[in-house]
Amino acid sequence: MIGQSLRYFILLTVLCLGQEAVRNWQTVDPVSHIRGIQLRNDRIRVNNSGLYYLYSQVYFLSQYLNGISSGATTLYHYVYRYNVIYPNGGEELLLKSVRTKCWERVKAYDDYTSFTGGVFHLNVGDEIYVKVSNISQVSHDPKATFLGTFKIG
């Protein structure tokens, strides 16, 4: 059903080890809206089974010292779903985007955007969330890092 939509924007992040979950999604932004879906524990929780378009963008900030890059870095951006009905402990990778920064060591630009999206059949109780390879490189700009979904069938 078109019209049941959700778009969350990141406000803050929480540092953890390994793959790092993006947390503290902001729902009070003027372009954020929630209908037919819940936000619980920094995850989108599906209330109605159906076909959904999922999308996520992560805006990575590079880490430079005096304008010089530390060299090649790989930035990983994942969208997962969790539900006890799935194998592997309930966690399933749905989308993955990889950016390798391996350009000039001295440059005027240093930001990278990763966008990924796709259509999936989601079940009642599915929880959708984002993980990244390095949370310290994720921008705090709520218009640049976001997660969303809308039901299409």
Side-chain angles (χ1 to χ4, degrees), residues 18 21 33 40 42 47-48 50-51 62 67-68 89 92 103 116 118 134:
H33 45 99
R40 189 165 71 184
D42 294 305
N47 292 332
N48 299 298
L51 207 56
S62 295
I68 299 175
E92 181 179 18
W103 297 282
T116 188
N134 187 345

Side-chain angles (χ1 to χ4, degrees), residues 125-149:
D126 282 0
E127 297 176 354
I128 309 303
Y129 54 99
V130 174
K131 288 185 176 183
V132 295
S133 55
N134 187 345
I135 203 79
S136 68
Q137 288 186 278
V138 174
S139 169
H140 294 263
D141 182 347
K143 302 295 188 278
T145 300
F146 52 84
L147 168 65
T149 187

Side-chain angles (χ1 to χ4, degrees), residues 64-114:
Y64 287 88
L65 182 60
N66 298 324
I68 299 175
S69 169
S70 59
T73 303
T74 304
L75 304 170
Y76 293 91
H77 169 200
Y78 309 96
V79 177
Y80 282 91
R81 77 169 152 189
Y82 172 82
N83 195 324
V84 294
I85 66 173
Y86 302 121
N88 302 320
E91 185 175 70
E92 181 179 18
L93 177 64
L94 298 178
L95 298 164
K96 178 179 179 180
S97 177
V98 180
R99 298 284 313 235
T100 302
K101 308 179 316 172
C102 56
W103 297 282
E104 298 175 39
R105 288 183 58 107
V106 178
K107 58 186 173 186
Y109 56 92
D110 63 352
D111 298 339
Y112 301 89
T113 301
S114 169

